[in-house]
Amino acid sequence: MKPRIKYFFIYFLLLLLLLSPSLVAYVIEKLPSRFILCILIQGGLLLLPFGIFHKNLRLYLYLLIGWILLAPFALISPVFFGIEMNTDFLILVINTTFREAIELFGKLIIPFILFFIVYVGLYIFLVKKSVKKISRKTGIFISILGIVMFMTGIISGTGFQNLAVNTKAGLVSYYPTDILYSALKYSEKIKRVDHEVLIKNYTFQAKKEDTLKDREIYVLVIGETARYQNWGLNGYKRNTSPLLEKRKNLLSFSDVSTVGCMTELSVPLIITRAKPYDFEQHYSEKGISGAFAESGFQTYWISNQEDYFNIRMHVNELKNVINLAPSRSSSQSVYDIKVVDAFDSVLKNDHSKKIFFILHTMGSHFDYSKRYPPEFNVFRPSGNGEPINAMNPDNKEIMVNSYDNSILYTDMILDSLISLIKQENAVSYLMYLSDHGENLYDDSRMRFLHPPSEPTKYVAHIPFFIWTSPDYNSAYPQKTKELHNHLNSPISSGDVFETLLDMANITYPKANLNESISSDKFQNSKQEILGGDMKIYNFKNLH
Ligand SMILES: [Zn+2]
């Protein structure tokens, strides 16, 4: 090969390597126009400094290793989650613990690292083969080519008007500048959202409408990744809820959709007044425990999860917090029975007349087989103990078995909580719902887990149960009757906030009884769902 052609070829390969993280992402996301614009905009950007570095080209190419090191960030969201990087998603990635990453991508992490080493190695190999310097004339020519490519990309992407604005938009929406920009936005957001300061003087002006002579104990259980259809009491072919099926005064609502399709979005939307179209409203308001506290309740948060940023800020509002989740780097899991034990010990030691609990469980979080002890390994084979490649649809049966075992275990957890509350002979309710559902290779789309974009009906349709104590039913017969009336109404987990307060007969000036299923004023929910891509989906349009 002629030296010139050889060097041209090497530079072509180097450019291709530098651009490949985004090009691969756009192929996965099926965005052909972004693919071409990326070659023009980011390719042009890469060629731009050739004129300056013409005497020392290798130095420039070595500096670009920084560009390459950002590749994993660009690839994680499209490769593993099928969506483009955004600031909120970056928060989720940063908040993913080591343990969760291992559980989820166990088998993929080592190939991913090996691939990355080869990728960087190949880049350095090619740099060493490249020419050390070029003539000033050639350098300037390449720089001009870079400018032409860059501007062609910007103009064909967004038009001639507002060139400065469009140039900035072009820069911040392509790898690797998009990642740096997202990181900057993230740090700004963390600084801006000083929740403690924002809610300093916040009050619901909530008050309890009556004074009961009996003790009151109200409990919200936020489950994890449990979907509607895998519960025996919702008509599943397997008897996964033998205990709850026998419970009197337990209602299962049939048409409830999640309000957010991942934990970090769903939980704040359940426990605050924020709505999917204004998620950030929750930054400047207190969670529901605040309204209970104003009404004279002792409030507890007992969690078996590491509650992150968006949830953590509301946990910090409570005085009584019991966190049972293992430390970040631990590979051990804690079974939800620990939540029951902690709940039991609070009931034994706190004799307050009014108590409100939020229990945040691990439920059916992947790896399902790690959520229950051996006694609950009923549906087999379930992969307990053996390493299973969950990403392989051929293992569907094992995944479904272990998932069903985790539901069976949750049935026992909920039933035990109800037993403990019942012993107190108080005016009580226990509300259980899941933060979202799960895909289990259900149809030809072969979806698994709960990817942040485009939820399926399997992710959106959640179990929602309310148990009321005999004393509750006699104290509030009208509310109990309305709950029965709404058993098959379209409901969203976004209705939980108003329902919990109304069921406890707590009012506040901004109360909206249209969202309370224990009220005759309830109006069918629009069942809007916030996706991890921050788009709004409608439950009834999902498949
Ligand atoms: Zn979740």
Side-chain angles (χ1 to χ4, degrees):
M1 215 189 284
K2 278 185 184 171
R4 255 184 188 221
I5 298 174
K6 184 181 132 194
Y7 288 130
F8 176 80
F9 188 63
I10 288 174
Y11 277 103
F12 177 76
L13 285 179
L14 282 167
L15 274 180
L16 201 65
L17 274 181
L18 286 162
L19 292 178
S20 60
S22 5
L23 299 183
V24 168
Y26 296 137
V27 169
I28 294 173
E29 293 164 46
K30 299 191 188 82
L31 295 168
S33 61
R34 299 264 294 172
F35 185 94
I36 293 163
L37 289 179
C38 173
I39 294 178
L40 290 171
I41 293 176
Q42 297 302 81
L45 203 64
L46 283 166
L47 296 181
L48 212 62
F50 270 60
I52 304 164
F53 284 95
H54 70 95
K55 275 189 187 157
N56 209 335
L57 266 185
R58 275 194 200 164
L59 172 70
Y60 171 57
L61 293 171
Y62 279 124
L63 288 176
L64 286 176
I65 288 179
W67 172 302
I68 276 194
L69 291 179
L70 291 170
F73 287 98
L75 286 170
I76 282 170
S77 48
V79 170
F80 292 130
F81 301 101
I83 63 165
E84 264 193 86
M85 177 63 71
N86 64 50
T87 306
D88 288 282
F89 195 72
L90 193 74
I91 293 175
L92 301 179
V93 171
I94 291 169
N95 282 341
T96 299
T97 60
F98 182 68
R99 174 166 37 87
E100 280 178 329
I102 295 287
E103 280 178 1
L104 204 54
F105 306 122
K107 290 218 158 183
L108 292 172
I109 283 176
I110 289 174
F112 193 80
I113 293 171
L114 286 178
F115 170 80
F116 194 62
I117 292 171
V118 171
Y119 175 61
V120 177
L122 184 64
Y123 180 82
I124 293 172
F125 173 79
L126 286 172
V127 173
K128 284 188 171 162
K129 293 272 170 203
S130 70
V131 68
K132 279 185 185 156
K133 57 179 177 184
I134 49 176
S135 71
R136 191 158 163 259
K137 219 167 115 189
T138 314
I140 289 172
F141 173 76
I142 295 175
S143 290
I144 291 171
L145 179 69
I147 295 173
V148 172
M149 280 170 67
F150 183 79
M151 290 321 295
T152 310
I154 296 289
I155 291 164
S156 55
T158 42
F160 278 103
Q161 285 148 343
N162 289 330
L163 215 50
V165 177
N166 294 344
T167 305
K168 187 192 165 213
L171 277 176
V172 300
S173 56
Y174 289 95
Y175 170 83
T177 31
D178 60 341
I179 293 162
L180 298 173
Y181 182 73
S182 289
L184 186 74
K185 282 271 159 203
Y186 174 66
S187 68
E188 272 175 15
K189 193 166 185 171
I190 296 283
K191 265 185 236 149
R192 181 166 58 86
V193 185
D194 193 342
H195 181 66
E196 234 176 279
V197 174
L198 290 174
I199 57 152
K200 208 168 170 224
N201 299 313
Y202 188 87
T203 166
F204 289 100
Q205 292 174 279
K207 63 172 193 298
K208 190 150 163 61
E209 285 289 276
D210 52 21
T211 320
L212 302 181
K213 62 177 192 326
D214 291 316
R215 212 173 160 211
E216 288 171 84
I217 300 168
Y218 300 130
V219 182
L220 168 67
V221 183
I222 304 174
E224 179 60 63
T225 319
R227 62 188 207 173
Y228 178 83
Q229 70 199 80
N230 284 56
W231 291 77
L233 82 168
N234 288 339
Y236 189 42
K237 59 179 192 242
R238 282 176 166 168
N239 191 8
T240 49
S241 47
L243 300 172
L244 290 183
E245 265 166 49
K246 284 189 222 116
R247 274 284 166 202
K248 282 201 186 98
N249 300 321
L250 183 100
L251 302 175
S252 174
F253 294 79
S254 69
D255 187 8
V256 186
S257 86
T258 184
V259 66
C261 67
M262 39 203 322
T263 317
E264 181 93 359
L265 303 175
S266 165
V267 176
L269 291 172
I270 290 171
I271 61 167
T272 73
R273 294 188 333 119
K275 297 282 172 269
Y277 49 81
D278 187 13
F279 180 69
E280 299 199 350
Q281 186 188 345
H282 90 90
Y283 295 160
S284 50
E285 295 198 7
K286 280 188 183 172
I288 191 160
S289 303
F292 273 94
E294 287 176 17
S295 316
F297 281 74
Q298 243 342 310
T299 56
Y300 283 85
W301 179 282
I302 304 176
S303 180
N304 193 14
Q305 294 210 14
E306 270 192 76
D307 299 305
Y308 306 127
F309 184 66
N310 284 300
I311 305 170
R312 170 66 45 198
M313 60 179 80
H314 299 293
V315 177
N316 291 343
E317 296 162 16
L318 281 88
K319 263 187 264 152
N320 306 306
V321 177
I322 301 172
N323 196 291
L324 305 159
S327 71
R328 267 198 164 216
S329 55
S330 168
S331 61
Q332 291 221 307
S333 47
V334 170
Y335 298 135
D336 281 336
I337 194 71
K338 293 275 179 206
V339 174
V340 180
D341 294 343
F343 178 74
D344 185 24
S345 93
V346 172
L347 282 183
K348 284 201 174 88
N349 296 305
D350 186 336
H351 300 288
S352 308
K353 196 157 172 280
K354 294 189 258 189
I355 315 183
F356 173 68
F357 289 90
I358 296 180
L359 313 179
H360 192 194
T361 63
M362 259 312 239
S364 303
H365 193 298
F366 190 80
D367 180 343
Y368 321 126
S369 69
K370 295 211 169 84
R371 302 295 159 240
Y372 52 86
E375 315 87 271
F376 285 83
N377 190 19
V378 172
F379 305 109
R380 282 176 283 189
S382 64
N384 243 345
E386 319 103 62
I388 300 290
N389 182 6
M391 299 297 161
N392 181 356
D394 291 345
N395 291 323
K396 170 179 171 172
E397 190 198 342
I398 299 175
M399 289 304 118
V400 172
N401 285 341
S402 57
Y403 184 84
D404 288 345
N405 289 332
S406 75
I407 300 290
L408 191 68
Y409 184 64
T410 304
D411 173 63
M412 181 279 288
I413 295 293
L414 294 176
D415 192 69
S416 308
L417 290 168
I418 293 172
S419 292
L420 290 170
I421 305 167
K422 203 159 175 262
Q423 282 170 19
E424 302 291 320
N425 292 316
V427 173
S428 295
Y429 63 67
L430 176 140
M431 181 191 284
Y432 164 82
L433 76 162
S434 182
D435 62 344
H436 50 76
E438 187 83 320
N439 295 300
L440 291 166
Y441 299 117
D442 297 281
D443 50 36
S444 57
R445 292 172 293 177
M446 282 296 151
R447 301 250 176 114
F448 186 51
L449 306 173
H450 50 281
S453 66
E454 268 201 293
T456 59
K457 61 181 179 186
Y458 311 106
V459 169
H461 196 185
I462 52 166
F464 184 82
F465 312 139
I466 297 178
W467 172 84
T468 47
S469 71
D471 288 330
Y472 182 90
N473 296 339
S474 27
Y476 298 118
Q478 193 55 35
K479 293 184 193 294
T480 315
K481 190 177 147 243
E482 288 303 331
L483 290 175
H484 278 90
N485 286 345
H486 297 125
L487 270 175
N488 300 308
S489 304
I491 298 168
S492 156
S493 54
D495 296 324
V496 161
F497 186 93
E498 296 291 346
T499 303
L500 285 171
L501 291 177
D502 180 41
M503 280 189 74
N505 216 21
I506 292 172
T507 57
Y508 67 110
K510 285 184 184 159
N512 178 7
L513 290 175
N514 296 343
E515 293 178 5
S516 167
I517 58 167
S518 52
S519 164
D520 60 354
K521 298 197 177 65
F522 177 72
Q523 282 176 6
N524 291 346
S525 167
K526 284 197 242 158
Q527 300 184 306
E528 288 170 323
I529 302 166
L530 180 62
D533 47 8
M534 304 318 270
K535 287 184 190 150
I536 309 276
Y537 296 91
N538 194 291
F539 181 45
K540 293 285 147 66
N541 296 336
L542 302 178
H543 303 286

